[in-house]
Amino acid sequence: MSLDGLRVVVTGSTRGLGRAFAADLARRGARVVVNGVDPERCAATAADLGAVARAGSVADEAVARGLVQTCVEHHGGIDAVVNNAGIVRDAMFKRMTAGALDEVIAVHLRGTFLVTQAAVQAMGEGLSVVNVTSGTALYGLVGQSNYGAAKGGINALTRALTVELGRRGVRVNSLYPRARTDMTVGVAEHPGIAAHLGDAEAVAPLVSYLVSPASAHVAGQVLAFDGRELTVWTHPAPAASERRDGPWSLEDVQAMLADEAKLEPLHPDAIGIASWEAFRR
């Protein structure tokens, strides 16, 4: 697939998944702007990939807007954004600090919001946005309540923007990459999980597809990919509903919710199942 001339910003792209995404895009002919918090690493990555660099944290509104401005100034516009920048501050919930929550929310959710908003304001129509999410947001993992909350917010943002901006030809999708990276080292050490994690380079082609015109019909999706298995996840939907003519009594509420068949369990994938089992040991 040729992406000749496609103008793309990839946040958090100096290593791991982000670098793999940027490299695959550049190899296919896209004009890429890379980003990272380390200026030297950012410049070196840009030199390696034949890209343009803009260093800084996407949690900073000036940096987020500067990323899009850099793409517009160097490439004449912007066609796509890959919101990959992220950090982890894992801890058990009872010991997690408010600062650990704020840091993770700032980079993941605020950063995704800010870069996407700047791109929409600059481009107006025809933009493709890929938001990197996580299984943590879909079924929960131990020690990642802050990370799961941030990624869950990103999934909600994906749905909201699909509804609001779809009529303008703006496509927004969430990608749950099941890959070995610096951020998954702790999880990947547990038996049974490594087999379900692919290489970052193997996940990258899906990103290239999602930003390309070939995927013009794909919007509002949550997709999981490890380079071997591609999964389309469902969106929240009502599982059970009852309506009564008058006000509900406490007994009415109890009568409905006492039926466990009407309650929805979490639905983990293979990584989620293996993770749950690992942390139960």
Side-chain angles (χ1 to χ4, degrees), residues 192-211:
I193 297 179
H196 303 291
L197 296 175
D199 295 326
E201 291 75 15
V203 176
L206 177 57
V207 172
S208 293
Y209 171 74
L210 289 174
V211 304

Side-chain angles (χ1 to χ4, degrees), residues 6 45 73 100 113 129 147 198 211 269:
L6 201 71
T45 301
E73 290 177 351
F113 175 93
V129 179
Y147 188 71
V211 304
D269 60 8

Side-chain angles (χ1 to χ4, degrees), residues 216-270:
H217 62 292
V218 183
Q221 300 301 304
V222 178
L223 306 171
F225 191 49
D226 64 3
R228 296 159 297 178
E229 181 180 33
L230 177 59
T231 303
V232 180
W233 281 74
T234 61
H235 293 297
S241 181
E242 288 187 15
R243 184 178 180 85
R244 300 183 187 275
D245 292 334
W248 282 58
S249 67
L250 185 61
E251 289 73 22
D252 291 334
V253 174
Q254 181 181 10
M256 178 177 176
L257 296 184
D259 182 358
E260 294 187 10
K262 293 179 179 177
L263 303 181
E264 273 291 288
L266 296 173
H267 298 286
D269 60 8

Side-chain angles (χ1 to χ4, degrees), residues 4-271:
D4 285 346
L6 201 71
R7 302 159 296 188
V8 188
V9 167
V10 185
T11 71
S13 47
T14 60
R15 60 183 182 179
L17 280 165
R19 184 185 174 99
F21 298 160
D24 195 73
L25 288 163
R27 181 175 64 82
R28 298 178 190 274
R31 291 180 283 177
V32 179
V33 177
V34 299
N35 157 257
V37 294
D38 184 328
E40 291 184 3
R41 184 188 288 269
C42 198
T45 301
D48 289 345
L49 303 182
V52 178
R54 182 68 183 243
S57 171
V58 294
D60 183 330
E61 186 171 2
V63 172
R65 293 193 173 280
L67 265 170
V68 172
Q69 183 181 6
T70 297
C71 191
V72 172
E73 290 177 351
H74 282 263
H75 302 315
I78 182 168
D79 300 304
V81 171
V82 181
N83 287 305
N84 173 74
I87 60 172
V88 289
R89 297 290 185 268
D90 293 355
M92 300 303 286
F93 181 71
K94 65 182 180 180
R95 294 194 295 271
M96 185 174 288
T97 66
L101 171 67
D102 292 343
E103 284 184 78
V104 171
I105 292 288
V107 175
H108 289 272
L109 183 54
R110 174 182 166 88
T112 294
F113 175 93
L114 290 174
V115 176
T116 301
Q117 184 183 61
V120 169
Q121 290 172 343
M123 188 63 184
E125 297 182 358
L127 186 73
S128 177
V129 179
V130 179
N131 295 329
V132 175
T133 185
S134 168
T136 307
L138 300 172
Y139 48 76
L141 289 177
V142 172
Q144 291 196 321
S145 55
N146 54 356
Y147 188 71
K151 292 302 193 182
I154 286 174
N155 289 343
L157 182 64
T158 293
R159 289 189 286 269
L161 296 185
T162 296
V163 173
E164 181 174 340
L165 303 177
R167 68 183 185 277
R168 297 171 57 185
V170 176
R171 298 186 297 108
V172 188
N173 292 285
S174 286
L175 166 64
Y176 158 27
R178 299 188 299 192
R180 288 179 290 271
T181 68
D182 291 347
M183 292 175 64
T184 61
V185 168
V187 175
E189 292 175 352
H190 293 283
I193 297 179
H196 303 291
L197 296 175
D199 295 326
E201 291 75 15
V203 176
L206 177 57
V207 172
S208 293
Y209 171 74
L210 289 174
V211 304
S212 77
S215 63
H217 62 292
V218 183
Q221 300 301 304
V222 178
L223 306 171
F225 191 49
D226 64 3
R228 296 159 297 178
E229 181 180 33
L230 177 59
T231 303
V232 180
W233 281 74
T234 61
H235 293 297
S241 181
E242 288 187 15
R243 184 178 180 85
R244 300 183 187 275
D245 292 334
W248 282 58
S249 67
L250 185 61
E251 289 73 22
D252 291 334
V253 174
Q254 181 181 10
M256 178 177 176
L257 296 184
D259 182 358
E260 294 187 10
K262 293 179 179 177
L263 303 181
E264 273 291 288
L266 296 173
H267 298 286
D269 60 8
I271 292 178

